[in-house]
Amino acid sequence: MYALVHQSFGANDGMATIDASVGLGGFNDEADVTKVQHLLNACIPALGLAKLVEDGDCGPGTIIAIQAYQSKVLGATLPDGRIDPGGRTWIALAAGQCPKPAKPNAKGAPLSGAAWWDANQAKYPNSSKLADLASPFREKVIAFTNALKAGGAGISVGSTLRSPVRAKLMLYAWEVASGERAPDAVPAIPGCTINWDHGDLAKSKKAAREMVSKFGIVRKPSTGTSLHTLGRAIDMTISWTGTIVVKDATGGRQSLGAPRSGENNTALHAIGATYGVIKFAYLPADPPHWSDNGH
């Protein structure tokens, strides 16, 4: 459980109220979103996320930060990513309630690098099982994929629930290797023992690059808390031959022809949406990604 600290902001900072809901499914008035982003930024280091741009745009980064705040401060197991005026999340945020930042890894822990990866990474596996998704997204995905299979589509699941520890390891390896984070300033990861500081910056960055290579990372990973670590996203490749007929969630029969790929067939995306399985909204990035909100 995270210890809580209180920051010196809130009612005295001109942030005492929001007029409407902010976040996933919220009204998202620009002024209200800016207030929430400002307050979240005071907690961002303790949440382990990148600082938000206070631009009034409630994008994926802001929603993920809200969910991380609800999880770490309020103890929500399935954070809804929404802040309502006078609600529990707003009261805590406006009062300056933040999780206590994790302490950096203690010296003497096993050093990062290829040898650490070989010896330890298997302890923090990702899952490709639909059963490991969070409810109700799990049931929606099962219904959608069953309909696809019944229609003759082939499905290959890459990942469902991602290990939060593995996500942090990937993020910190990238940040140390790229020079974004000093090796002696990497926060501790609960349940994982690793020391990123080799006593020499060049050696530390080299070891981090080894781990980046081992993980197969090609761009900066998620900031640690994501829809995948919450069990609300799935990476899957969908394909078929010819023209197939797939039932949507209402029982309607929909024809699917070319393009015969889950990546860019908008008719397939529309079928998925009826089940509550939404295609990633920012193609062509991350083509196999589906989630409960399109992020």
Side-chain angles (χ1 to χ4, degrees), residues 16-282:
T17 61
I18 52 174
D19 294 325
S21 57
V22 171
L24 186 60
F27 187 78
N28 293 323
D29 173 78
E30 183 176 341
D32 289 337
V33 173
T34 302
K35 290 178 183 179
V36 167
Q37 290 169 330
H38 177 75
L39 295 174
L40 285 170
N41 272 336
C43 297
I44 282 293
L47 296 175
L49 302 177
K51 186 176 181 180
L52 299 172
V53 177
E54 297 176 21
D55 58 0
D57 178 19
C58 191
T62 298
I63 291 171
I64 287 173
I66 293 172
Q67 292 169 330
Y69 184 87
Q70 291 172 324
S71 176
K72 294 185 177 182
V73 175
L74 304 180
T77 55
L78 290 173
D80 61 12
R82 173 169 161 158
I83 300 176
D84 293 307
R88 188 180 173 209
T89 306
W90 173 253
I91 290 172
L93 188 61
Q97 199 170 341
C98 291
K100 186 176 180 180
K103 295 180 179 179
N105 282 307
K107 302 296 183 182
L111 289 170
S112 59
W116 188 97
W117 192 95
D118 289 338
N120 295 283
Q121 66 86 23
K123 300 174 185 176
Y124 315 107
N126 291 329
S127 173
S128 60
K129 297 178 181 178
L130 301 189
D132 288 335
L133 291 169
S135 183
F137 186 60
R138 174 177 62 242
E139 291 78 13
K140 295 175 180 179
V141 170
I142 290 173
F144 178 42
T145 54
N146 283 345
L148 289 170
K149 293 174 184 176
I155 303 170
S156 176
V157 177
S159 66
T160 53
L161 183 66
R162 289 182 182 167
S163 162
V165 172
R166 193 178 188 90
K168 288 287 188 184
L169 286 166
M170 293 172 69
L171 173 65
Y172 296 151
W174 178 277
E175 290 183 338
V176 173
S178 65
E180 292 183 33
R181 188 186 292 269
D184 61 355
V186 177
I189 305 174
C192 178
T193 305
I194 183 171
N195 180 11
W196 302 87
D197 185 6
H198 291 238
D200 177 88
L201 182 59
K203 291 180 180 178
S204 299
K205 293 176 75 172
K206 177 178 180 294
R209 287 195 298 271
E210 292 174 355
M211 293 183 61
V212 166
S213 176
K214 287 281 191 176
F215 278 123
I217 307 170
V218 295
R219 63 176 183 270
K220 186 173 181 177
S222 161
T223 51
T225 300
S226 69
L227 293 178
H228 270 296
T229 61
L230 296 171
R232 294 171 49 197
I234 180 172
D235 285 350
M236 58 181 172
T237 301
I238 304 167
S239 60
W240 60 94
T241 58
T243 298
I244 63 174
V245 176
V246 176
K247 287 185 178 181
D248 62 26
T250 70
R253 294 167 60 84
Q254 309 297 332
S255 294
L256 293 177
R260 298 174 178 86
S261 166
E263 174 183 342
N264 49 20
N265 188 297
T266 55
L268 174 63
H269 302 169
I271 295 172
T274 69
Y275 288 93
V277 183
I278 315 299
K279 191 69 185 77
F280 185 55
Y282 303 100

